[in-house]
Amino acid sequence: MSAARRAGAPAQNLQSAGATAAATGVAGFLASGLGVALFSSAVFGLSGSFAKALLETGWTPGAAVTARLTGAALILAVPAALALRGRWHQLRDNWLTVLLFGLIGVAACQLFYFNAVARLSVGVALLLEYLAPVMIVLWLWLASRKRPRPLTIAGTLLSLAGLVLVLDLTGAVKIDFIGVLWGIAAAVCLAIYFFITAKENDTLPPIVLASGGLMVGALVMWLTAATGLLPMATSTADTRLGPWVTPWWVALGGLVLLATVLAYVSGIVAARALGSKVASFVSLTEVLFAVLWAWLLLGELPGPVQLLGGILIVGGVVLVRLDELRRAPEPSVELDHANDIEPVP
């Protein structure tokens, strides 16, 4: 063997070892709780884009929500039954939590969000919904008359300033205020959901709560549609996702399988690996993923002022969450426990 080849061998070995270590590091990150949590946020963020692709072909928000909930509930029913292992009394003991989760955290939250998406860009609609933590802070301030800590106050003010910029009241971007009301209604549902499920509940497996809530939500949507209170219309026209024209069932399948089933399961795995507080904190990246997906698949991108407002809203919520994470447990306030199951946006 020549001297050059002998000298090159260690370098090749080092390059090979470096590549192996890098691949192992990437695989380890993806398998870690943080990697799974980011993956969950990414697929959750697809929901607005898939839904809007259907809405633009003639689907009503009610029909899109009903199809999403029904499909996801049927798919998750089997793993949920296996998780119960015959302990059906767990469902009976927690029927009220499942019912309220299905009514508010699933059916109402999704319906209001999809109505907002029908009138606003996906990013603006989701940013409005993520004002929920700020609403919780304001409500607790009014209810307890105890002033929040400085970091929470700063985060709240920052998010409210961001809301003004997102609405862009004096700018060239025209905002549909009916859509804004739908987005705020979705935020109210999200805030109420956090109040409902803030207490730790170890008696019901998270996937059972998810499946049960989806079933309740689907049943509510079907009953509402049967009474004629909720307009229901579907279409078999092709949908457009980015540069591709696809059959309608591609967008619907993505909405059910990726943005609901896979998002829920990966969210549960992340919550158990990281803890519910940290996992819910990482879930804030869903806003960024939603804006990215809407740009790639729908050609939607909020204006510069709205993007700045979105940064302020997310930054404000981050400050509120940081204050929540470092706060000592208080018996009178149960909201510093985030949920293993997040409501589906």
Side-chain angles (χ1 to χ4, degrees), residues 35-295:
V36 175
L38 289 173
F39 174 79
S40 179
S41 291
V43 287
F44 260 131
L46 281 165
S47 65
S49 296
F50 284 136
K52 191 149 193 175
L54 293 171
L55 298 178
E56 289 178 343
T57 66
W59 283 65
T60 60
V65 171
T66 303
R68 181 188 190 187
L69 299 187
T70 303
L74 291 175
I75 293 173
L76 285 178
V78 173
L82 293 176
L84 279 175
R85 299 175 183 174
R87 299 188 297 269
W88 299 103
H89 65 89
Q90 292 181 337
L91 274 178
R92 292 194 302 270
D93 295 342
N94 295 277
W95 68 270
L96 184 59
T97 299
V98 174
L99 178 64
L100 293 176
F101 173 73
L103 283 174
I104 298 174
V106 175
C109 195
Q110 282 192 57
L111 181 61
F112 295 163
Y113 172 63
F114 280 10
N115 273 299
V117 165
R119 294 173 173 269
L120 303 170
S121 70
V122 172
V124 170
L126 194 58
L127 284 169
L128 290 172
E129 185 180 0
Y130 265 81
L131 286 171
V134 176
M135 291 182 175
I136 291 174
V137 170
L138 295 175
W139 172 254
L140 290 177
W141 189 350
L142 292 173
S144 66
R145 300 189 179 182
K146 181 180 178 182
R147 190 175 68 177
R149 290 161 36 144
L151 194 60
T152 293
I153 294 176
T156 301
L157 293 176
L158 197 64
S159 290
L160 292 177
L163 175 61
V164 173
L165 294 180
V166 164
L167 297 181
D168 197 13
L169 299 177
T170 60
V173 179
K174 186 178 179 182
I175 288 289
D176 187 314
F177 282 96
I178 300 299
V180 171
L181 292 177
W182 281 121
I184 292 175
V188 171
C189 287
L190 184 53
I192 294 173
Y193 164 80
F194 282 128
F195 277 110
I196 292 171
T197 59
K199 292 185 178 180
E200 185 91 37
N201 186 347
D202 296 327
T203 63
L204 193 66
I207 197 169
V208 176
L209 177 59
S211 178
L214 290 167
M215 288 181 182
V216 169
L219 180 60
V220 168
M221 298 299 295
W222 282 110
L223 290 176
T224 308
T227 61
L229 296 175
L230 186 66
M232 297 283 282
T234 60
S235 172
T236 57
D238 290 342
T239 57
R240 179 172 290 277
L241 294 170
W244 304 285
V245 175
T246 63
W248 63 272
W249 51 264
V250 172
L252 181 60
L255 184 62
V256 172
L257 293 175
L258 295 177
T260 310
V261 174
L262 192 56
Y264 255 132
V265 173
S266 58
I268 292 169
V269 173
R272 289 182 172 177
L274 297 176
S276 54
K277 273 189 175 180
V278 177
S280 64
F281 190 89
V282 177
S283 73
L284 290 173
T285 57
E286 180 190 339
V287 177
L288 306 179
F289 281 116
V291 171
L292 177 62
W293 288 125
W295 176 48

Side-chain angles (χ1 to χ4, degrees), residues 2-17:
S2 68
R5 291 185 63 182
R6 285 196 303 270
Q12 291 177 352
N13 291 337
L14 285 174
Q15 290 177 353
S16 177

Side-chain angles (χ1 to χ4, degrees), residues 302-317:
V305 174
Q306 291 179 309
L307 285 174
L308 176 59
I311 292 173
L312 294 183
I313 288 177
V314 174
V317 174

